């Protein structure tokens, strides 16, 4: 067959394979009104923050300050992960940019997780992972977390760390 016969089929295949999804793109369009209204802290979130700070203090590292703007940004991502039923770091650079602009962050990192049922279990899993542990032990000043359940009752977590 001639290439002219294959060209329209290849174009159609490319369009179907690389189509854009607006759901994925809308995940971290963080609206400035949202940044001022962080959801109330849940017990599991408070326990995670306490466990991380206790761990840091045990290593003679400075404890981190809670910052509600971080919680708001973390919530947008956790809510997204619940909506697509997938744990990810999708659109991290949008979250980072928002925190640089709105919280004077000079450094931003995050840990995410799924399906852990307690603060102890998720923090333990992060500490067992070299990259997540490095974030927890990192040179940061502030942090916060968002934990949300999906329709099956499984937790999704986004823990964001910044340096100001």
């Amino acid at each position: 067959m001639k290439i002219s016969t294959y060209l329209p089929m290849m174009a159609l295949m490319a369009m179907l394979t690389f189509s854009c999804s607006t759901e994925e793109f809308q995940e971290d369009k963080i609206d400035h009104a949202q940044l001022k209204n962080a959801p109330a802290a849940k017990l599991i979130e408070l326990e995670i923050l306490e466990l991380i700070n206790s761990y840091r203090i045990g290593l003679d590292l400075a404890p981190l300050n809670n910052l509600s703007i971080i919680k708001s940004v973390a919530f947008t991502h956790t809510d997204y992960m619940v909506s697509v039923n997938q744990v990810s770091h999708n659109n991290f650079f949008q979250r980072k940019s928002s925190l640089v602009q709105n919280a004077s962050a000079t450094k931003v990192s995050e840990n995410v997780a799924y399906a852990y049922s307690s603060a102890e279990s998720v923090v333990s899993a992060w500490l067992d992972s070299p990259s997540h542990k490095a974030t927890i032990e990192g040179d940061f000043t502030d942090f916060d977390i968002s934990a949300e359940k999906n329709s099956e009752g499984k937790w999704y977590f986004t823990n964001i760390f910044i340096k100001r």
Side-chain angles (χ1 to χ4, degrees):
M1 289 187 132
K2 294 182 180 180
I3 193 147
S4 61
T5 307
Y6 286 114
L7 194 54
M9 289 191 321
M10 290 174 59
L12 179 61
M13 292 286 288
M15 285 174 36
L16 293 174
T17 306
F18 300 111
S19 68
C20 295
S21 169
T22 56
E23 283 182 16
E24 213 176 284
F25 187 71
Q26 291 178 1
E27 180 247 317
D28 275 331
K29 286 191 177 177
I30 301 166
D31 122 16
H32 293 292
Q34 249 184 329
L35 294 178
K36 295 176 184 167
N37 299 318
K42 296 173 183 67
L43 180 58
I44 194 168
E45 294 168 337
L46 296 172
E47 291 171 343
I48 291 167
L49 298 175
E50 185 177 312
L51 286 168
I52 289 172
N53 267 339
S54 293
Y55 175 80
R56 287 178 60 88
I57 291 167
L59 296 177
D60 292 325
L61 297 171
L64 304 173
N65 302 303
N66 296 38
L67 198 58
S68 62
I69 193 166
I70 298 172
K71 180 166 184 59
S72 295
V73 172
F75 175 75
T76 64
H77 186 60
T78 305
D79 190 47
Y80 163 76
M81 291 191 301
V82 168
S83 73
V84 298
N85 205 30
Q86 180 181 357
V87 68
S88 72
H89 291 284
N90 291 352
N91 302 309
F92 170 73
F93 291 104
Q94 289 176 338
R95 290 187 294 288
K96 179 181 178 182
S97 176
S98 178
L99 290 166
V100 166
Q101 291 174 7
N102 298 294
S104 302
T106 59
K107 180 179 175 183
V108 180
S109 189
E110 74 180 11
N111 287 340
V112 296
Y114 163 74
Y116 292 93
S117 59
S118 69
E120 294 82 8
S121 64
V122 71
V123 172
S124 178
W126 283 333
L127 292 174
D128 287 342
S129 162
S131 62
H132 293 94
K133 183 178 181 180
T135 297
I136 290 171
E137 295 176 355
D139 181 24
F140 298 104
T141 55
D142 306 273
F143 72 153
D144 219 318
I145 189 161
S146 171
E148 298 295 326
K149 285 184 177 180
N150 68 6
S151 59
E152 289 111 35
K154 302 280 186 183
W155 286 103
Y156 282 82
F157 304 90
T158 304
N159 190 192
I160 299 179
F161 300 76
I162 71 167
K163 180 176 183 173
R164 295 192 285 169

